[in-house]
Tab-separated table of all heavy atoms in Angstrom:
chain	number	residue	atom	x	y	z
U	1	MET	N	75.646	116.778	169.234
U	1	MET	CA	74.542	117.409	168.740
U	1	MET	C	74.925	118.629	167.921
U	1	MET	O	75.830	119.309	168.301
U	1	MET	CB	73.594	117.782	169.816
U	1	MET	CG	72.257	118.400	169.342
U	1	MET	SD	71.187	118.552	170.772
U	1	MET	CE	69.854	119.283	169.947
U	2	LYS	N	74.283	118.816	166.856
U	2	LYS	CA	74.595	120.003	165.971
U	2	LYS	C	74.362	121.237	166.696
U	2	LYS	O	73.411	121.239	167.584
U	2	LYS	CB	73.837	119.947	164.701
U	2	LYS	CG	74.257	118.755	163.823
U	2	LYS	CD	73.491	118.723	162.507
U	2	LYS	CE	73.946	117.603	161.660
U	2	LYS	NZ	73.124	117.563	160.369
U	3	ASN	N	75.048	122.366	166.413
U	3	ASN	CA	74.738	123.630	166.925
U	3	ASN	C	73.605	124.354	166.221
U	3	ASN	O	73.926	124.912	165.202
U	3	ASN	CB	76.001	124.525	167.002
U	3	ASN	CG	75.766	125.851	167.650
U	3	ASN	OD1	74.667	126.131	168.236
U	3	ASN	ND2	76.851	126.622	167.645
U	4	THR	N	72.436	124.125	166.612
U	4	THR	CA	71.283	124.578	165.870
U	4	THR	C	70.565	125.790	166.428
U	4	THR	O	69.368	125.961	166.265
U	4	THR	CB	70.215	123.427	165.723
U	4	THR	OG1	69.806	123.055	167.017
U	4	THR	CG2	70.806	122.291	164.920
U	5	THR	N	71.426	126.624	167.130
U	5	THR	CA	70.840	127.762	167.692
U	5	THR	C	71.033	128.957	166.870
U	5	THR	O	72.031	128.909	165.985
U	5	THR	CB	71.302	127.971	169.129
U	5	THR	OG1	72.787	128.215	168.986
U	5	THR	CG2	71.078	126.921	170.088
U	6	ILE	N	70.310	130.071	167.040
U	6	ILE	CA	70.632	131.223	166.237
U	6	ILE	C	71.983	131.889	166.502
U	6	ILE	O	72.468	132.651	165.751
U	6	ILE	CB	69.473	132.227	166.508
U	6	ILE	CG1	69.416	133.313	165.391
U	6	ILE	CG2	69.523	132.908	167.875
U	6	ILE	CD1	68.895	132.730	164.142
U	7	SER	N	72.547	131.510	167.642
U	7	SER	CA	73.799	132.046	168.083
U	7	SER	C	75.000	131.309	167.298
U	7	SER	O	76.264	131.637	167.513
U	7	SER	CB	74.040	131.960	169.588
U	7	SER	OG	73.985	130.654	170.007
U	8	ASN	N	74.661	130.278	166.543
U	8	ASN	CA	75.662	129.633	165.703
U	8	ASN	C	76.503	130.664	164.851
U	8	ASN	O	75.935	131.398	164.161
U	8	ASN	CB	75.044	128.527	164.903
U	8	ASN	CG	76.007	127.676	164.132
U	8	ASN	OD1	77.086	128.064	163.820
U	8	ASN	ND2	75.546	126.518	163.717
U	9	PRO	N	77.813	130.524	164.995
U	9	PRO	CA	78.525	131.660	164.264
U	9	PRO	C	78.529	131.355	162.751
U	9	PRO	O	78.914	132.330	161.981
U	9	PRO	CB	80.055	131.423	164.749
U	9	PRO	CG	80.065	130.023	165.496
U	9	PRO	CD	78.652	129.747	165.830
U	10	TYR	N	78.147	130.199	162.250
U	10	TYR	CA	78.030	129.901	160.928
U	10	TYR	C	76.758	130.502	160.240
U	10	TYR	O	76.605	130.569	158.995
U	10	TYR	CB	78.037	128.402	160.570
U	10	TYR	CG	79.442	127.872	160.827
U	10	TYR	CD1	79.544	127.111	162.061
U	10	TYR	CD2	80.550	128.045	160.109
U	10	TYR	CE1	80.825	126.538	162.336
U	10	TYR	CE2	81.774	127.556	160.479
U	10	TYR	CZ	81.925	126.820	161.542
U	10	TYR	OH	83.238	126.266	161.941
U	11	ILE	N	75.863	131.033	160.996
U	11	ILE	CA	74.746	131.686	160.493
U	11	ILE	C	75.042	133.127	160.420
U	11	ILE	O	75.138	133.906	161.436
U	11	ILE	CB	73.480	131.528	161.475
U	11	ILE	CG1	73.097	130.051	161.630
U	11	ILE	CG2	72.313	132.383	160.902
U	11	ILE	CD1	71.929	129.779	162.481
U	12	THR	N	75.312	133.587	159.202
U	12	THR	CA	75.853	135.000	158.965
U	12	THR	C	74.776	135.894	158.654
U	12	THR	O	74.936	137.085	158.885
U	12	THR	CB	76.891	134.954	157.864
U	12	THR	OG1	76.330	134.420	156.654
U	12	THR	CG2	78.160	134.187	158.287
U	13	VAL	N	73.568	135.457	158.140
U	13	VAL	CA	72.470	136.273	157.803
U	13	VAL	C	71.397	135.942	158.807
U	13	VAL	O	70.959	134.820	158.981
U	13	VAL	CB	72.013	136.064	156.375
U	13	VAL	CG1	70.800	136.864	156.046
U	13	VAL	CG2	73.170	136.261	155.389
U	14	GLN	N	70.866	136.972	159.424
U	14	GLN	CA	69.699	136.748	160.384
U	14	GLN	C	68.642	137.721	159.999
U	14	GLN	O	68.303	138.633	160.673
U	14	GLN	CB	70.160	137.014	161.784
U	14	GLN	CG	71.146	136.016	162.266
U	14	GLN	CD	71.494	136.119	163.758
U	14	GLN	OE1	70.872	136.905	164.462
U	14	GLN	NE2	72.520	135.440	164.115
U	15	ASP	N	67.909	137.353	158.904
U	15	ASP	CA	66.809	138.137	158.409
U	15	ASP	C	65.541	137.759	159.186
U	15	ASP	O	65.539	136.870	160.050
U	15	ASP	CB	66.567	138.058	156.915
U	15	ASP	CG	66.125	136.834	156.457
U	15	ASP	OD1	65.801	135.838	157.175
U	15	ASP	OD2	66.026	136.550	155.175
U	16	LYS	N	64.509	138.454	158.992
U	16	LYS	CA	63.225	138.287	159.680
U	16	LYS	C	62.650	136.906	159.610
U	16	LYS	O	62.211	136.297	160.569
U	16	LYS	CB	62.168	139.177	159.178
U	16	LYS	CG	60.795	139.176	159.901
U	16	LYS	CD	59.905	140.189	159.376
U	16	LYS	CE	58.478	140.185	160.020
U	16	LYS	NZ	57.939	139.012	160.543
U	17	ARG	N	62.748	136.204	158.371
U	17	ARG	CA	62.242	134.849	158.219
U	17	ARG	C	63.072	133.922	159.098
U	17	ARG	O	62.465	133.057	159.739
U	17	ARG	CB	62.414	134.401	156.765
U	17	ARG	CG	61.500	135.218	155.847
U	17	ARG	CD	61.720	134.909	154.426
U	17	ARG	NE	63.128	135.267	154.072
U	17	ARG	CZ	63.849	134.801	153.051
U	17	ARG	NH1	63.245	134.044	152.106
U	17	ARG	NH2	65.041	135.200	152.838
U	18	ILE	N	64.339	134.047	159.217
U	18	ILE	CA	65.199	133.168	159.977
U	18	ILE	C	64.848	133.347	161.491
U	18	ILE	O	64.755	132.371	162.271
U	18	ILE	CB	66.679	133.352	159.718
U	18	ILE	CG1	67.019	132.868	158.329
U	18	ILE	CG2	67.493	132.636	160.777
U	18	ILE	CD1	68.431	133.181	157.852
U	19	LEU	N	64.667	134.599	161.853
U	19	LEU	CA	64.406	134.874	163.268
U	19	LEU	C	63.021	134.383	163.744
U	19	LEU	O	62.851	133.829	164.759
U	19	LEU	CB	64.503	136.439	163.530
U	19	LEU	CG	65.939	136.935	163.365
U	19	LEU	CD1	65.929	138.460	163.521
U	19	LEU	CD2	66.857	136.322	164.350
U	20	ASP	N	62.056	134.507	162.876
U	20	ASP	CA	60.712	133.932	163.043
U	20	ASP	C	60.816	132.448	163.163
U	20	ASP	O	60.151	131.798	164.061
U	20	ASP	CB	59.682	134.364	161.867
U	20	ASP	CG	59.272	135.857	162.036
U	20	ASP	OD1	59.494	136.428	163.126
U	20	ASP	OD2	58.772	136.329	161.010
U	21	PHE	N	61.516	131.812	162.289
U	21	PHE	CA	61.656	130.356	162.307
U	21	PHE	C	62.317	129.939	163.541
U	21	PHE	O	61.897	128.944	164.189
U	21	PHE	CB	62.385	129.879	161.121
U	21	PHE	CG	62.515	128.387	160.905
U	21	PHE	CD1	61.407	127.608	160.737
U	21	PHE	CD2	63.698	127.818	161.156
U	21	PHE	CE1	61.585	126.222	160.548
U	21	PHE	CE2	63.869	126.420	161.002
U	21	PHE	CZ	62.874	125.609	160.825
U	22	ASN	N	63.356	130.609	163.965
U	22	ASN	CA	64.071	130.353	165.183
U	22	ASN	C	63.070	130.423	166.439
U	22	ASN	O	63.116	129.501	167.295
U	22	ASN	CB	65.213	131.238	165.396
U	22	ASN	CG	65.972	130.873	166.741
U	22	ASN	OD1	66.577	129.876	166.821
U	22	ASN	ND2	65.890	131.845	167.612
U	23	ARG	N	62.318	131.366	166.426
U	23	ARG	CA	61.275	131.543	167.534
U	23	ARG	C	60.362	130.315	167.576
U	23	ARG	O	60.129	129.769	168.659
U	23	ARG	CB	60.446	132.864	167.320
U	23	ARG	CG	59.481	133.093	168.501
U	23	ARG	CD	58.637	134.397	168.168
U	23	ARG	NE	58.058	134.306	166.823
U	23	ARG	CZ	56.909	133.564	166.498
U	23	ARG	NH1	56.401	132.828	167.401
U	23	ARG	NH2	56.389	133.608	165.302
U	24	ILE	N	59.890	129.980	166.459
U	24	ILE	CA	58.974	128.836	166.396
U	24	ILE	C	59.648	127.532	166.770
U	24	ILE	O	59.137	126.753	167.621
U	24	ILE	CB	58.364	128.640	164.968
U	24	ILE	CG1	57.505	129.864	164.595
U	24	ILE	CG2	57.618	127.399	164.810
U	24	ILE	CD1	57.140	130.068	163.161
U	25	VAL	N	60.858	127.301	166.354
U	25	VAL	CA	61.613	126.115	166.765
U	25	VAL	C	61.843	126.107	168.267
U	25	VAL	O	61.701	125.120	168.844
U	25	VAL	CB	62.910	126.004	165.943
U	25	VAL	CG1	63.856	125.004	166.509
U	25	VAL	CG2	62.607	125.761	164.531
U	26	GLU	N	62.270	127.249	168.860
U	26	GLU	CA	62.497	127.301	170.315
U	26	GLU	C	61.233	126.971	171.066
U	26	GLU	O	61.244	126.330	172.140
U	26	GLU	CB	63.012	128.676	170.649
U	26	GLU	CG	64.402	128.857	170.244
U	26	GLU	CD	65.478	127.913	170.766
U	26	GLU	OE1	65.352	127.534	171.968
U	26	GLU	OE2	66.221	127.278	169.967
U	27	GLU	N	60.042	127.455	170.635
U	27	GLU	CA	58.825	127.142	171.253
U	27	GLU	C	58.493	125.702	171.271
U	27	GLU	O	58.187	125.044	172.280
U	27	GLU	CB	57.694	127.842	170.641
U	27	GLU	CG	57.577	129.348	170.936
U	27	GLU	CD	56.369	129.981	170.124
U	27	GLU	OE1	55.476	129.305	169.760
U	27	GLU	OE2	56.443	131.284	170.062
U	28	VAL	N	58.770	125.013	170.178
U	28	VAL	CA	58.526	123.655	169.972
U	28	VAL	C	59.571	122.821	170.925
U	28	VAL	O	59.143	121.920	171.606
U	28	VAL	CB	58.664	123.120	168.561
U	28	VAL	CG1	58.683	121.570	168.494
U	28	VAL	CG2	57.556	123.662	167.697
U	29	ARG	N	60.748	123.217	170.957
U	29	ARG	CA	61.788	122.624	171.738
U	29	ARG	C	61.440	122.669	173.244
U	29	ARG	O	61.531	121.713	174.003
U	29	ARG	CB	63.176	123.226	171.583
U	29	ARG	CG	63.919	122.826	170.407
U	29	ARG	CD	65.237	123.433	170.361
U	29	ARG	NE	66.042	122.957	169.280
U	29	ARG	CZ	67.174	123.581	168.796
U	29	ARG	NH1	67.535	124.672	169.482
U	29	ARG	NH2	67.788	123.087	167.886
U	30	GLN	N	60.860	123.795	173.683
U	30	GLN	CA	60.591	124.050	175.059
U	30	GLN	C	59.345	123.131	175.375
U	30	GLN	O	59.337	122.499	176.489
U	30	GLN	CB	60.290	125.488	175.396
U	30	GLN	CG	61.499	126.336	175.384
U	30	GLN	CD	61.241	127.744	175.500
U	30	GLN	OE1	60.114	128.091	175.644
U	30	GLN	NE2	62.162	128.614	175.401
U	31	SER	N	58.383	123.053	174.565
U	31	SER	CA	57.207	122.218	174.853
U	31	SER	C	57.515	120.775	174.819
U	31	SER	O	57.045	120.003	175.684
U	31	SER	CB	56.058	122.490	173.837
U	31	SER	OG	56.488	121.991	172.531
U	32	GLU	N	58.430	120.287	174.004
U	32	GLU	CA	58.852	118.879	173.925
U	32	GLU	C	59.602	118.554	175.226
U	32	GLU	O	59.486	117.527	175.823
U	32	GLU	CB	59.616	118.602	172.701
U	32	GLU	CG	58.843	118.562	171.499
U	32	GLU	CD	59.679	118.275	170.213
U	32	GLU	OE1	60.920	118.261	170.224
U	32	GLU	OE2	59.014	118.048	169.195
U	33	GLU	N	60.529	119.507	175.562
U	33	GLU	CA	61.290	119.310	176.784
U	33	GLU	C	60.407	119.194	178.073
U	33	GLU	O	60.539	118.426	178.913
U	33	GLU	CB	62.323	120.429	177.056
U	33	GLU	CG	63.441	120.359	176.013
U	33	GLU	CD	64.400	121.509	176.160
U	33	GLU	OE1	64.196	122.371	177.042
U	33	GLU	OE2	65.260	121.623	175.323
U	34	TRP	N	59.330	120.110	178.077
U	34	TRP	CA	58.465	120.112	179.181
U	34	TRP	C	57.674	118.759	179.240
U	34	TRP	O	57.376	118.226	180.249
U	34	TRP	CB	57.495	121.221	179.160
U	34	TRP	CG	56.424	121.118	180.217
U	34	TRP	CD1	55.129	120.967	179.921
U	34	TRP	CD2	56.542	121.100	181.573
U	34	TRP	NE1	54.439	120.833	181.164
U	34	TRP	CE2	55.342	120.883	182.180
U	34	TRP	CE3	57.660	121.177	182.484
U	34	TRP	CZ2	55.087	120.749	183.581
U	34	TRP	CZ3	57.424	121.101	183.880
U	34	TRP	CH2	56.325	120.852	184.348
U	35	GLU	N	57.283	118.361	178.028
U	35	GLU	CA	56.583	117.053	178.031
U	35	GLU	C	57.430	115.919	178.607
U	35	GLU	O	56.960	115.051	179.313
U	35	GLU	CB	56.179	116.819	176.543
U	35	GLU	CG	55.222	115.455	176.468
U	35	GLU	CD	54.830	115.230	175.061
U	35	GLU	OE1	54.532	116.184	174.277
U	35	GLU	OE2	54.667	114.098	174.598
U	36	ASP	N	58.699	115.880	178.179
U	36	ASP	CA	59.686	114.902	178.670
U	36	ASP	C	59.716	115.007	180.210
U	36	ASP	O	59.673	113.984	180.881
U	36	ASP	CB	60.974	114.984	178.106
U	36	ASP	CG	60.983	114.669	176.607
U	36	ASP	OD1	60.079	113.984	176.113
U	36	ASP	OD2	62.008	114.932	175.835
U	37	VAL	N	59.883	116.137	180.738
U	37	VAL	CA	60.052	116.457	182.132
U	37	VAL	C	58.784	115.992	182.836
U	37	VAL	O	58.822	115.259	183.930
U	37	VAL	CB	60.316	117.841	182.507
U	37	VAL	CG1	60.235	118.173	183.899
U	37	VAL	CG2	61.831	118.142	182.049
U	38	SER	N	57.595	116.384	182.342
U	38	SER	CA	56.357	115.999	183.071
U	38	SER	C	56.067	114.513	183.012
U	38	SER	O	55.601	113.957	183.964
U	38	SER	CB	55.213	116.803	182.436
U	38	SER	OG	55.041	116.465	181.090
U	39	MET	N	56.460	113.859	181.895
U	39	MET	CA	56.342	112.414	181.823
U	39	MET	C	57.258	111.739	182.820
U	39	MET	O	56.877	110.692	183.457
U	39	MET	CB	56.519	111.878	180.315
U	39	MET	CG	55.422	112.232	179.344
U	39	MET	SD	53.743	111.601	180.013
U	39	MET	CE	53.959	109.865	179.990
U	40	ASN	N	58.415	112.323	182.988
U	40	ASN	CA	59.442	111.695	183.919
U	40	ASN	C	58.874	111.813	185.352
U	40	ASN	O	58.865	110.856	186.139
U	40	ASN	CB	60.774	112.380	183.755
U	40	ASN	CG	61.762	111.691	184.549
U	40	ASN	OD1	61.760	110.556	184.871
U	40	ASN	ND2	62.854	112.423	184.908
U	41	ILE	N	58.226	112.967	185.675
U	41	ILE	CA	57.726	113.224	187.076
U	41	ILE	C	56.539	112.195	187.224
U	41	ILE	O	56.416	111.616	188.348
U	41	ILE	CB	57.271	114.709	187.204
U	41	ILE	CG1	58.545	115.558	187.136
U	41	ILE	CG2	56.404	114.876	188.304
U	41	ILE	CD1	58.110	117.097	187.056
U	42	TYR	N	55.685	112.106	186.239
U	42	TYR	CA	54.570	111.133	186.283
U	42	TYR	C	54.976	109.804	186.506
U	42	TYR	O	54.580	109.001	187.370
U	42	TYR	CB	53.772	111.271	185.014
U	42	TYR	CG	52.618	110.288	184.923
U	42	TYR	CD1	51.409	110.456	185.638
U	42	TYR	CD2	52.700	109.190	184.061
U	42	TYR	CE1	50.476	109.602	185.507
U	42	TYR	CE2	51.693	108.287	183.969
U	42	TYR	CZ	50.478	108.481	184.740
U	42	TYR	OH	49.522	107.580	184.673
U	43	GLU	N	56.085	109.299	185.790
U	43	GLU	CA	56.537	107.893	186.020
U	43	GLU	C	57.179	107.775	187.314
U	43	GLU	O	56.967	106.672	187.961
U	43	GLU	CB	57.596	107.645	184.858
U	43	GLU	CG	56.961	107.541	183.472
U	43	GLU	CD	57.966	107.460	182.349
U	43	GLU	OE1	59.198	107.559	182.640
U	43	GLU	OE2	57.530	107.329	181.115
U	44	MET	N	57.868	108.788	187.828
U	44	MET	CA	58.372	108.686	189.146
U	44	MET	C	57.301	108.539	190.202
U	44	MET	O	57.423	107.832	191.193
U	44	MET	CB	59.330	109.930	189.532
U	44	MET	CG	60.630	109.943	188.658
U	44	MET	SD	61.613	111.490	188.836
U	44	MET	CE	61.717	111.729	190.512
U	45	GLY	N	56.209	109.286	189.942
U	45	GLY	CA	55.043	109.164	190.836
U	45	GLY	C	54.471	107.806	190.955
U	45	GLY	O	54.043	107.249	191.955
U	46	ILE	N	54.313	107.227	189.689
U	46	ILE	CA	53.733	105.912	189.593
U	46	ILE	C	54.621	104.875	190.310
U	46	ILE	O	54.065	104.085	191.104
U	46	ILE	CB	53.611	105.541	188.092
U	46	ILE	CG1	52.543	106.388	187.383
U	46	ILE	CG2	53.271	104.049	188.072
U	46	ILE	CD1	51.090	106.140	187.875
U	47	GLU	N	55.889	104.947	190.188
U	47	GLU	CA	56.780	103.968	190.809
U	47	GLU	C	56.808	104.210	192.337
U	47	GLU	O	56.733	103.241	193.090
U	47	GLU	CB	58.235	104.225	190.310
U	47	GLU	CG	58.474	103.702	188.976
U	47	GLU	CD	58.048	102.247	188.710
U	47	GLU	OE1	58.491	101.463	189.647
U	47	GLU	OE2	57.401	101.889	187.807
U	48	ARG	N	56.703	105.481	192.765
U	48	ARG	CA	56.544	105.715	194.218
U	48	ARG	C	55.325	105.133	194.817
U	48	ARG	O	55.330	104.603	195.844
U	48	ARG	CB	56.779	107.222	194.462
U	48	ARG	CG	56.828	107.503	195.986
U	48	ARG	CD	57.122	108.963	196.191
U	48	ARG	NE	57.039	109.349	197.554
U	48	ARG	CZ	57.206	110.485	198.062
U	48	ARG	NH1	57.425	111.534	197.269
U	48	ARG	NH2	57.163	110.775	199.342
U	49	GLY	N	54.282	105.397	194.045
U	49	GLY	CA	52.972	104.864	194.476
U	49	GLY	C	52.998	103.384	194.530
U	49	GLY	O	52.435	102.695	195.535
U	50	LYS	N	53.636	102.674	193.622
U	50	LYS	CA	53.720	101.203	193.691
U	50	LYS	C	54.387	100.755	194.864
U	50	LYS	O	54.086	99.863	195.627
U	50	LYS	CB	54.411	100.635	192.400
U	50	LYS	CG	53.488	100.735	191.211
U	50	LYS	CD	54.257	100.217	189.925
U	50	LYS	CE	53.549	100.290	188.703
U	50	LYS	NZ	54.366	99.842	187.513
U	51	THR	N	55.596	101.354	195.125
U	51	THR	CA	56.434	101.099	196.200
U	51	THR	C	55.702	101.238	197.599
U	51	THR	O	55.738	100.400	198.478
U	51	THR	CB	57.757	101.923	196.293
U	51	THR	OG1	58.459	101.725	195.084
U	51	THR	CG2	58.655	101.568	197.366
U	52	GLU	N	55.054	102.433	197.708
U	52	GLU	CA	54.285	102.624	198.973
U	52	GLU	C	53.145	101.654	199.094
U	52	GLU	O	52.870	101.243	200.230
U	52	GLU	CB	53.764	104.105	199.024
U	52	GLU	CG	54.829	105.122	199.210
U	52	GLU	CD	54.347	106.590	199.207
U	52	GLU	OE1	53.078	106.819	199.209
U	52	GLU	OE2	55.245	107.442	199.209
U	53	GLY	N	52.446	101.275	198.054
U	53	GLY	CA	51.428	100.354	198.061
U	53	GLY	C	51.936	98.965	198.535
U	53	GLY	O	51.254	98.263	199.285
U	54	ILE	N	53.016	98.593	198.032
U	54	ILE	CA	53.601	97.288	198.427
U	54	ILE	C	53.933	97.306	199.933
U	54	ILE	O	53.674	96.344	200.641
U	54	ILE	CB	54.904	96.968	197.542
U	54	ILE	CG1	54.477	96.621	196.105
U	54	ILE	CG2	55.652	95.797	198.195
U	54	ILE	CD1	55.557	96.570	195.126
U	55	GLU	N	54.530	98.415	200.395
U	55	GLU	CA	54.900	98.540	201.764
U	55	GLU	C	53.700	98.477	202.695
U	55	GLU	O	53.681	97.777	203.709
U	55	GLU	CB	55.725	99.858	202.005
U	55	GLU	CG	57.185	99.793	201.340
U	55	GLU	CD	57.798	101.110	201.473
U	55	GLU	OE1	57.286	102.152	201.973
U	55	GLU	OE2	58.994	101.161	200.990
U	56	GLU	N	52.672	99.163	202.296
U	56	GLU	CA	51.412	99.070	203.052
U	56	GLU	C	50.753	97.783	203.102
U	56	GLU	O	50.298	97.264	204.079
U	56	GLU	CB	50.412	100.149	202.520
U	56	GLU	CG	50.711	101.580	202.765
U	56	GLU	CD	49.750	102.541	202.153
U	56	GLU	OE1	48.657	102.187	201.864
U	56	GLU	OE2	50.189	103.737	202.081
U	57	GLY	N	50.885	97.041	201.992
U	57	GLY	CA	50.283	95.808	201.856
U	57	GLY	C	51.093	94.729	202.768
U	57	GLY	O	50.449	93.949	203.430
U	58	ILE	N	52.435	94.905	202.778
U	58	ILE	CA	53.159	94.092	203.640
U	58	ILE	C	52.903	94.323	205.168
U	58	ILE	O	52.759	93.372	205.893
U	58	ILE	CB	54.748	94.285	203.325
U	58	ILE	CG1	55.060	93.713	201.965
U	58	ILE	CG2	55.597	93.687	204.426
U	58	ILE	CD1	56.452	94.018	201.531
U	59	ALA	N	52.782	95.684	205.455
U	59	ALA	CA	52.530	95.966	206.832
U	59	ALA	C	51.124	95.466	207.270
U	59	ALA	O	50.914	94.931	208.402
U	59	ALA	CB	52.482	97.578	206.962
U	60	ALA	N	50.189	95.512	206.407
U	60	ALA	CA	48.792	95.035	206.681
U	60	ALA	C	48.781	93.554	206.934
U	60	ALA	O	48.173	92.879	207.807
U	60	ALA	CB	47.798	95.409	205.641
U	61	GLY	N	49.614	92.847	206.099
U	61	GLY	CA	49.801	91.361	206.089
U	61	GLY	C	50.485	90.979	207.467
U	61	GLY	O	50.073	89.962	208.085
U	62	ILE	N	51.424	91.737	207.901
U	62	ILE	CA	52.119	91.509	209.173
U	62	ILE	C	51.239	91.641	210.307
U	62	ILE	O	51.178	90.854	211.245
U	62	ILE	CB	53.418	92.409	209.276
U	62	ILE	CG1	54.443	91.918	208.232
U	62	ILE	CG2	53.968	92.277	210.766
U	62	ILE	CD1	55.627	92.817	208.161
U	63	LYS	N	50.368	92.629	210.280
U	63	LYS	CA	49.377	92.881	211.390
U	63	LYS	C	48.472	91.793	211.647
U	63	LYS	O	47.991	91.495	212.698
U	63	LYS	CB	48.699	94.208	211.140
U	63	LYS	CG	49.531	95.461	211.404
U	63	LYS	CD	48.692	96.770	211.245
U	63	LYS	CE	49.540	97.950	211.495
U	63	LYS	NZ	48.816	99.223	211.175
U	64	ARG	N	48.009	91.142	210.477
U	64	ARG	CA	47.078	90.067	210.497
U	64	ARG	C	47.621	88.730	211.151
U	64	ARG	O	46.907	87.944	211.558
U	64	ARG	CB	46.517	89.832	209.009
U	64	ARG	CG	45.572	90.895	208.602
U	64	ARG	CD	45.022	90.466	207.353
U	64	ARG	NE	44.126	91.540	206.877
U	64	ARG	CZ	43.361	91.505	205.824
U	64	ARG	NH1	43.533	90.566	204.911
U	64	ARG	NH2	42.599	92.499	205.540
U	65	HIS	N	48.927	88.665	211.058
U	65	HIS	CA	49.533	87.423	211.486
U	65	HIS	C	49.939	87.520	212.949
U	65	HIS	O	50.141	87.876	213.852
U	65	HIS	CB	50.728	87.029	210.752
U	65	HIS	CG	50.306	86.328	209.467
U	65	HIS	ND1	49.787	87.020	208.348
U	65	HIS	CD2	50.281	85.023	208.960
U	65	HIS	CE1	49.569	86.271	207.396
U	65	HIS	NE2	49.861	84.981	207.776
């Protein structure tokens, strides 16, 4: 991945416009990362719910026999 942070040594001029742009980019990056993390947590919850549901169904079926 490219070094796209403001700390990149190849960025020799850091005027107000660049710093403002960097702040905006960092906000977007953080929100996208949070979205990825929250979706991952959601998907894990769905899978866990399915697994627990299957286990409960099997247990209920065993009790009936």
Side-chain angles (χ1 to χ4, degrees):
M1 184 172 178
K2 294 181 181 179
N3 184 4
T4 56
T5 63
I6 198 72
S7 61
N8 183 335
Y10 294 106
I11 299 175
T12 56
V13 177
Q14 294 187 7
D15 68 5
K16 182 182 181 323
R17 294 173 299 165
I18 292 173
L19 295 174
D20 285 343
F21 183 69
N22 181 66
R23 179 187 53 77
I24 293 166
V25 169
E26 288 302 315
E27 286 178 19
V28 171
R29 279 184 178 165
Q30 289 175 4
S31 66
E32 288 175 352
E33 288 174 3
W34 171 245
E35 185 176 325
D36 290 344
V37 168
S38 63
M39 286 305 296
N40 189 24
I41 292 169
Y42 175 76
E43 291 170 359
M44 289 170 51
I46 294 293
E47 289 301 315
R48 184 173 177 182
K50 287 179 184 177
T51 302
E52 289 179 8
I54 291 169
E55 290 173 358
E56 288 177 18
I58 291 171
I62 291 172
K63 286 182 183 178
R64 288 188 179 178
H65 282 75

